[in-house]
Amino acid sequence: MLANATLAVMWVGLTCYALFGGADFGAGLWDLLAGGSERGRAPRRLIEHSIGPVWEANHVWLIFVVVLLWTGFSPVFAAVMSTLYIPLTLTALGIIARGAAFAFRKVSTEVWQQRLFGGCFAVSSVVTPYFLGSVAGAVASGRVPPGLAKGNLITGWLNPTSALGGVLAILTCAYLAAVYLSGDAARSGEAHLAAYFRRRALATGVVTGMVALAGIAILHADAPQLFHGLTHRALPVVLVSAVLGAVSLVLLLRAEMTFVRVTAASAVAAVLWSWGVAQYPAMLPPSVTVAASASESSVLGTSLGALAVGAVLLVPSLLWLYSLFQRRPAPTEDRRGS
């Protein structure tokens, strides 16, 4: 009971990181593709305005997931961290480089410095979710056996399922970011930028759906146990995700930006939960289960109790931060978009 509760709480944290931190990564991709200094000034200004107050806070969710995995399922933590230390190290370096570059670009006065730090911020925003997705693909495809570094250090994360996970992570982050940014622009009265990001949200949503459909064949060949779970136990959740994705595209076409945030975020959340449902009760497919890898009940109970106390402080603080951020007007010195 406590093990399942701990797993559910951890999955909620992972979902929050995907919805909030993922959108921040996606904003970096649109920063990269915004164009030259003049053409990309307006989109980059909106991106900095949108993620500036929250980009550091969003990584709290990743720390939360890692700590809870370490505390609640230490054998799984040890296996994942040792077998997949290469992509995880690259992920950590990407997060550090991205944050430092974002901060330095804002205070740089020379154009060459702004371009250097801007490029580092944008590239790190693309490669970091790829590595995170490759880690998810490695675990889901059963390439992380129990024990310290028992899996292949290279092919464990360089394989078809990991590549699919990495590409889907990049596309999903870009999709969420475009949806959120379009809504922010519309709320600020910047119609050109709202249309700019809405077009990109539509295109990215279609491409993401096509990649997900193509991924069915990849999973069938490379991760049959995950494929079976997705097409059987988790099929209702998969269908919910598909319906929400289709509804989101319709809302984008109709420029209903208030509701599309909810449906787009829910579709992404459903994708994550379909993976969890498909894989359950395995923590490390095919044989390491939740019950077998969970810590003692005393540890789990204490951890959940500490989380409940911490949530009383953390959750209202985050809600207040997001609420203040949503009420903060965007700068209006440049309203041009393309």
Side-chain angles (χ1 to χ4, degrees):
M1 182 65 180
L2 287 176
N4 287 327
T6 302
L7 178 61
V9 172
M10 187 176 73
W11 216 259
V12 169
L14 183 62
T15 304
C16 290
Y17 186 62
L19 297 182
F20 298 113
D24 282 356
F25 287 128
L29 173 62
W30 297 124
D31 187 287
L32 178 66
L33 300 178
S37 300
E38 186 64 26
R39 182 179 173 221
R41 181 180 294 123
R44 290 190 177 103
R45 172 184 52 77
L46 180 65
I47 289 169
E48 287 194 1
H49 166 265
S50 296
I51 72 174
V54 296
W55 67 273
E56 290 180 295
N58 288 332
H59 289 300
V60 169
W61 297 111
L62 179 61
I63 298 170
F64 170 81
V65 172
V66 171
V67 171
L68 197 56
L69 179 64
W70 173 40
T71 305
F73 306 95
S74 53
V76 176
F77 176 88
V80 171
M81 294 296 169
S82 58
T83 294
L84 301 175
Y85 76 87
I86 294 177
L88 288 170
T89 299
L90 294 173
T91 296
L93 292 175
I95 291 174
I96 294 169
R98 179 180 181 273
F102 182 71
F104 287 142
R105 183 175 71 171
K106 295 186 69 174
V107 299
S108 298
T109 56
E110 299 290 335
V111 174
W112 70 268
Q113 292 175 333
Q114 294 174 351
R115 288 176 176 173
L116 173 63
F117 292 128
C120 182
F121 162 71
V123 172
S124 298
S125 296
V126 176
V127 299
T128 303
Y130 179 86
F131 290 131
L132 286 170
S134 70
V135 168
V139 174
S141 60
R143 288 182 166 91
V144 183
L148 292 177
K150 296 298 184 180
N152 191 293
L153 300 181
I154 304 300
T155 60
W157 62 282
L158 290 177
N159 57 76
T161 302
S162 289
L164 174 64
V167 171
L168 282 176
I170 293 173
L171 291 173
T172 301
C173 291
Y175 172 63
L176 284 176
V179 170
Y180 295 170
L181 288 167
S182 182
D184 285 349
R187 182 169 48 84
S188 300
E190 300 187 273
H192 288 90
L193 277 179
Y196 173 95
F197 282 110
R198 185 168 62 87
R199 290 193 298 269
R200 282 150 181 78
L202 273 168
T204 311
V206 172
V207 172
T208 303
M210 294 172 62
V211 171
L213 287 175
I216 295 175
I218 294 176
L219 295 180
H220 183 269
D222 191 61
Q225 184 173 343
L226 177 62
F227 174 82
H228 182 271
L230 289 172
T231 54
H232 289 78
R233 183 192 303 118
L235 184 58
V237 189
V238 173
L239 293 176
V240 168
S241 175
V243 170
L244 288 171
V247 170
S248 298
L249 293 179
V250 173
L251 291 175
L252 284 170
L253 285 170
R254 299 180 59 182
E256 298 284 350
M257 302 314 302
T258 300
F259 298 107
V260 74
R261 287 187 170 198
V262 177
T263 58
S266 299
V268 173
V271 170
L272 277 175
W273 283 83
S274 65
W275 168 30
V277 172
Q279 186 172 299
Y280 184 84
M283 288 289 287
L284 293 177
S287 58
V288 179
T289 64
V290 174
S293 58
S295 300
E296 295 292 334
S297 297
S298 57
V299 174
L300 296 176
T302 302
S303 298
L304 290 173
L307 287 174
V309 174
V312 174
L313 299 175
L314 177 62
V315 173
S317 299
L318 287 174
L319 291 176
W320 189 25
L321 173 63
Y322 294 139
S323 176
L324 290 174
F325 155 64
Q326 287 296 312
R327 289 200 295 264
R328 191 168 70 108
T332 57
E333 69 273 12
D334 185 353
R335 287 178 178 257
R336 287 173 297 173
S338 59

